[in-house]
Each structure stands twice: as structure tokens, then as C-alpha cells.
Amino acid sequence: MDNQEDVVFFKKFKDQLRKHQFTIGITDLAKMTGVSQTQLRYWEQKNYIHSLQTGEKNTTHRYSYGTLMRVHFVKMMLDEGFTLAAAVERANGYGNQMEMMRVFMMTAFQGIEERDGHHMVKLGYFDENKTQQLYCYILDGKPHYRLYPAKSEG
């Protein structure tokens, strides 16, 4: 694909992510996290987690990806010896950081390009004058960053 095709592809990809609410049912949530359905229902009664409103009565509960991550985090804290209340409190404290990561992924990721023999994630302009662009590639399981002069739009 050429660069313009990449731009169009990744724009459409991000638009699809924004449009579609990826959800899972309580059975899958329990299987993915190791938290029993009974426990999940209890957490929901206590308002520690929330299912999505489907608008239909007597339908199965649906949970967002964010809830999946929250349940994983709370479970991890429980496994480390925290009480449920303390685990939920810690999860609440990390909520802003999780939202920040989500926004970063949806806005900073601008595509993938091959440069200098590496597939690199394009992260956008590095400076306010838009003279440099930041890229990241993974080598031996570690991120490496490079700055390149911005390509002219002409």
C-alpha cells in the first residue's frame, strides 16, 4: 500500500473502533477473568462494575472492553491480598490513567510505515511547528523511538 492508502485505511479502522461497541456477555467475562458469574453479579449490585444498557428487558448483561479491563485489575488486586473495597478503590484511582491510554491509542496512532528496515508506528508530529514526526518500532521486545523530518504535504 502507498502512504495515501495507509492513511485512508487507518482512518477507516479508527472510525470502526469508535462506532462499534465491543461487548461480551457475563459468561465470557467470567471465563476471561477467572471471576465467577455470581461474583460479577454481586460486584454489579454494589456498583463496582456496570453492564451496558441494551434497552431491552430480560436480556443478558453486556459488558464493555473497559469493564473487562476493570475486572482484570480488581481480580489482580484481590489476588495480591487486597480486600474487594480496597481493590475497587485502587481501580477507581487508575481509571483516569486507563482513559488517558485509550485516548492516546485512538489519537496518537496514525499508521504503520516501513522505515530503515523496520515497521514503525507513526505517532504524529513531535513539535508544534510540525517539522518532525515521531516513530516507534519494537526490537527485541523493547520500544525504540526515532524522529524524522516531516514529509511535505505537497
Side-chain angles (χ1 to χ4, degrees):
M1 282 195 281
D2 69 19
N3 192 31
Q4 189 56 34
E5 286 177 334
D6 288 347
V7 169
V8 170
F9 170 80
F10 286 112
K11 181 184 181 316
K12 287 181 179 178
F13 179 73
K14 284 187 193 180
D15 289 345
Q16 289 298 314
L17 287 176
R18 284 186 190 99
K19 270 190 226 175
H20 298 290
Q21 181 83 233
F22 296 104
T23 63
I24 57 174
I26 194 166
T27 301
D28 290 328
L29 183 60
K31 285 179 186 175
M32 294 172 142
T33 61
V35 177
S36 72
Q37 291 183 39
T38 302
Q39 207 169 8
L40 290 169
R41 286 187 196 95
Y42 175 75
W43 292 6
E44 192 164 4
Q45 286 174 349
K46 293 294 222 175
N47 287 321
Y48 295 156
I49 63 171
H50 305 280
S51 58
L52 299 170
Q53 299 299 319
T54 61
E56 302 171 24
K57 281 193 168 190
N58 299 326
T59 59
T60 60
H61 291 227
R62 303 297 299 174
Y63 298 91
S64 70
Y65 178 76
T67 299
L68 169 67
M69 298 310 295
R70 181 175 174 82
V71 171
H72 269 298
F73 184 85
V74 170
K75 171 85 163 70
M76 183 176 64
M77 294 294 101
L78 290 172
D79 290 347
E80 289 185 18
F82 288 88
T83 65
L84 178 57
V88 169
E89 187 175 319
R90 286 186 74 121
N92 291 342
Y94 284 104
N96 288 339
Q97 292 174 3
M98 295 301 288
E99 177 62 10
M100 188 171 125
M101 287 179 11
R102 185 193 68 77
V103 169
F104 175 80
M105 293 302 297
M106 294 303 294
T107 59
F109 176 80
Q110 297 181 8
I112 297 175
E113 295 179 12
E114 189 166 334
R115 288 181 159 248
D116 299 334
H118 301 283
H119 286 92
M120 296 191 178
V121 176
K122 182 178 177 182
L123 296 173
Y125 292 106
F126 184 72
D127 59 335
E128 291 187 27
N129 292 330
K130 298 183 177 183
T131 63
Q132 300 179 89
Q133 291 186 322
L134 179 63
Y135 288 80
C136 177
Y137 66 98
I138 306 298
L139 183 64
D140 297 326
K142 296 179 183 172
H144 298 267
Y145 299 92
R146 293 225 178 122
L147 286 174
Y148 291 96
K151 295 178 183 176
S152 63
E153 299 294 322

